[in-house]
Amino acid sequence: MKFKKITVLTLITMMIASILTACETEQPLLKDKYAEYYNVGVALSKNTVNSYSDEIMTNFNIIVAENEMKWESIQPNEGQFRYTSADLIVEKAEELGAEVRGHVLVWHSQTPSWVFRGDLDDVRERMFTHIENVVGNYKGRISEWDVVNEVLSDSSDPNELFRQDSGWYEACGKDDDVFIQLLADAFKKAKEVDPDLMLYYNDYNLNQQIKREKCVTLVEKLIESGAPIDGVGMQGHYDYQGLNIQDVEDSMDAFIELGMKVAITELDLSAYTWNYSGEAYSEFSKEQEKAQAEVFAQIYEVARDRKDDVTSIITWGVADDYTWKDNFPVMNRKDYPLLFDVFSEPKEALNAILDFE
Ligand code: GLA
């Protein structure tokens, strides 16, 4: 009898001890761990806004809409503004107590062709109307906007500053000076509508030297033109095998040197190198997950080293069940680029970015 009592007591003690240990080793929330550094966030879409548990979502304190605030979503036809889908994302962020990053006001893609009809005055007027309406609609609820996205050219020619296939650039007769004025006007208008906003220029491959230099030139010219620009968004669609972290650091430093804040706005680390043409990976192995986690850790670390100037790191999605990388650059090829896996379980990457003193 006595023996039984002792056994039960021992069992209870062991259970309490293991519960206590579990509590002690429970991971902190990402946003708490990063409270003194920068915001940590994710992109949500109308398809994923309710896909993930509160337990996951409460890790984040900044949210961006994947597509719902793009021109074609908000103003598909001239003068017809639709906020229903974008509102879903904003309301979700508010429920989480997270900030909202607006994406995007001026972009060549996902913008209806009617925007570019007529002459430059017509196009500029439409740009103003759009900014007044959209920024005005979310005034006080959105803290920062990508005012301009992806105007820089990918050409290796350093003298070709701007991408050629843009309706905005064409409306300016492909004249660089005229175009810079137009972009500066966009920044000025956004600031006029909501003076409290942080305003960003956002682009991909800004880690690459040639594009970094073009971005520096653009920011300098925007500042000269009186554009109230606060920061540069480095999108961060990388692959974990191909990224040289020094390039990311050099770009951050180049932009910070100009007085810019820096955000990594669309981070994902593809399982595939850019030119990979083999079979799709039917699963992401533990080794791959570990190697990817190291690169995630490096990115969050170099950003921590610049915490006074880095404002946020945002991944372009939450979990590997839903990522645009499944269809880019190769259609229907499963990718694994995010912090949570296809079952919404935390990946090594999440542990790795939480692992610092
Ligand atoms: C670019 C854009 C984003 C999104 C991604 C792909 O990075 O800035 O809005 O379209 O491409 O999802």
Side-chain angles (χ1 to χ4, degrees), residues 143-162:
S143 53
E144 59 188 56
W145 270 99
D146 283 331
V147 180
V148 175
N149 195 30
E150 300 183 353
V151 294
L152 293 174
S153 165
D154 290 316
S155 156
S156 57
D157 174 0
N159 296 317
E160 187 182 295
L161 189 56
F162 294 119

Side-chain angles (χ1 to χ4, degrees), residues 213-271:
E213 283 166 6
K214 289 182 189 187
C215 189
V216 165
T217 305
L218 172 63
V219 170
E220 284 170 346
K221 286 181 189 279
L222 284 171
I223 293 172
E224 258 169 51
S225 309
I229 178 173
D230 299 292
V232 173
M234 299 173 63
Q235 290 184 2
H237 298 294
Y238 305 132
D239 70 77
Y240 75 86
Q241 297 163 94
L243 185 68
N244 175 356
I245 194 69
Q246 188 62 50
D247 291 337
V248 176
E249 294 188 80
D250 289 350
S251 293
M252 287 178 160
D253 291 339
F255 306 143
I256 291 169
E257 180 88 356
L258 296 170
M260 293 292 102
K261 296 294 178 199
V262 173
I264 298 195
T265 53
E266 306 183 15
L267 181 63
D268 43 28
L269 294 181
S270 178

